[in-house]
Amino acid sequence: MKIITTVSETHSEMNKVKELGKKIVIVPTMGYLHDGHLSLLNHAKELGDVVISTLFVNPKQFGPNEDYDKYPRDFERDRNLLEKTGCDYLFYPEVSEMYGEHFSTQISLGGITKILEGVTRPTHYDGVALIVLKLFNITKCDVGIFGQKDYQQFMVIQKMVNDLNLDIQLVMAPIIRENNGLAMSSRNRFLSQEEFTQAAILNKSLIAAKEKILGGMRKRNEINKFITKSLLTSSLIKIDYVETVIDFTFVLMDEFHSGDRIVILLACWFGTTRLIDNIIIQL
Ligand code: PAF
């Protein structure tokens, strides 16, 4: 695996790859890789000829009181994992390489960036969109692969791709879970043993709600209340939001109907750790 730290070298390497007519797949990450990331990489290898992973903890997607400084980092560990997975290139820039002294451009997508995650984290998705657009441009990728765990993020990126007419195919890869059903996340390492055990309630509640919905529960309020009640059986949980939306558009209906594809999204705190999860249900 070739490690590149500058934009100019990435441009020239990717130009060579393009000249050979090869398809480039990007797997953007903030590092501290887990099996969820590795499944993205394995998936990426099936989608194109050359896989470039990026490792960059993007300061612009963290709010002032969020965990940018605390975000877990372990470059050597990540590099070994990427090498073992057969990644071709790793783009690993410094913050100064991505946001030089005179950097001032901002992206503001509006729409779905302002709801759910966007309420608690108002500048988060503008920061994500900015870095992802830069990474798409730097790597000249044809395909971008992102995990379903960050469902709203995927839809924000898809919206940016559509609105800005980017010639990039996006692929959503399924959520990879711990043995107890908790969605894998770099932040899970901050959970105590007891919090980790209790956090299994997120996935359990989503699965129980799916059964209820397929059994006929169709009113949005009832669905949200059912999940909230189920989540609150954990003594350590603090709920940020639970919401059920129409897939892709995030339209909030009072009641869902056969043929709708809906998504239940939730965010909860266990101590100082914020976890998100979701489930997609075809009615
Ligand atoms: O999902 C993430 O890890 C990040 O938001 C991403 C897409 C790598 C952008 O920094």
Side-chain angles (χ1 to χ4, degrees):
M1 178 177 73
K2 181 156 186 159
I3 300 171
I4 314 177
T5 57
T6 64
V7 172
S8 58
E9 200 192 344
T10 313
H11 275 159
S12 67
E13 283 290 329
M14 294 304 116
N15 279 339
K16 283 187 229 156
V17 169
K18 287 262 160 197
E19 273 162 26
L20 296 171
K22 294 198 169 166
K23 195 169 172 183
I24 301 171
V25 186
I26 187 174
V27 183
T29 83
M30 297 205 299
Y32 214 77
L33 305 179
H34 50 68
D35 285 354
H37 294 111
L38 302 183
S39 91
L40 295 183
L41 282 149
N42 285 324
H43 204 143
K45 286 194 281 185
E46 292 162 13
L47 293 168
D49 307 302
V50 169
V51 176
I52 179 160
S53 181
T54 65
L55 197 173
F56 181 65
V57 185
N58 172 34
K60 292 201 187 278
Q61 70 187 72
F62 290 80
N65 299 317
E66 292 183 358
D67 56 353
Y68 173 69
D69 290 329
K70 209 180 115 193
Y71 199 84
R73 294 159 167 91
D74 189 340
F75 176 70
E76 283 310 319
R77 181 179 164 279
D78 288 343
R79 184 175 66 174
N80 283 332
L81 286 170
L82 288 168
E83 253 161 15
K84 276 191 202 138
T85 320
C87 181
D88 300 298
Y89 291 92
L90 169 60
F91 178 54
Y92 177 55
E94 294 285 340
V95 172
S96 56
E97 180 70 8
M98 298 305 277
Y99 303 116
E101 220 188 314
H102 302 294
F103 191 93
S104 63
T105 299
Q106 296 183 349
I107 297 189
S108 176
L109 272 79
I112 61 166
T113 65
K114 301 296 171 211
I115 58 171
L116 304 176
E117 283 296 287
V119 173
T120 309
R121 311 185 70 190
T123 55
H124 174 62
Y125 285 128
D126 290 347
V128 170
L130 181 64
I131 192 65
V132 170
L133 182 56
K134 278 170 73 69
L135 293 172
F136 283 172
N137 286 334
I138 293 166
T139 62
K140 302 172 192 282
C141 60
D142 302 284
V143 182
I145 179 158
F146 298 84
Q148 185 199 320
K149 184 179 75 73
D150 295 291
Y151 177 87
Q152 191 176 354
Q153 167 174 279
F154 184 92
M155 291 306 163
V156 167
I157 298 169
Q158 184 67 72
K159 179 139 201 326
M160 175 179 74
V161 165
N162 296 349
D163 286 357
L164 300 182
N165 311 106
L166 305 182
D167 190 12
I168 293 171
Q169 180 203 351
L170 294 189
V171 175
M172 186 194 285
I175 301 176
I176 304 297
R177 298 184 178 278
E178 305 282 357
N179 286 340
N180 71 351
L182 176 64
M184 286 197 182
S185 160
S186 306
R187 289 185 171 102
N188 289 354
R189 73 182 293 262
F190 296 129
L191 297 168
S192 68
Q193 189 53 53
E194 184 53 23
E195 287 167 343
F196 179 86
T197 305
Q198 290 206 20
I201 195 67
L202 271 60
N203 184 42
K204 273 195 199 137
S205 304
L206 291 170
I207 290 172
K210 181 176 178 180
E211 274 172 31
K212 280 275 175 195
I213 292 164
L214 295 179
M217 188 185 269
R218 295 293 161 92
K219 290 205 165 59
R220 193 176 111 239
N221 276 346
E222 272 179 38
I223 298 169
N224 294 346
K225 269 190 203 152
F226 173 84
I227 300 168
T228 303
K229 196 171 161 204
S230 169
L231 291 172
L232 290 174
T233 57
S234 156
S235 57
L236 298 176
I237 204 166
K238 205 175 134 239
I239 300 175
D240 185 349
Y241 63 78
V242 173
E243 191 51 279
T244 312
V245 302
I246 296 282
D247 185 26
F248 189 65
T249 57
F250 281 69
V251 169
L252 297 176
M253 312 277 284
D254 288 341
E255 195 168 349
F256 301 104
H257 304 97
S258 289
D260 286 346
R261 206 171 121 96
I262 63 174
V263 189
I264 308 172
L265 300 119
L266 54 83
C268 300
W269 292 92
F270 281 84
T272 53
T273 311
R274 190 166 176 280
L275 303 174
I276 56 172
D277 205 344
N278 66 77
I279 193 167
I280 303 173
I281 304 165
Q282 179 67 57
L283 298 184

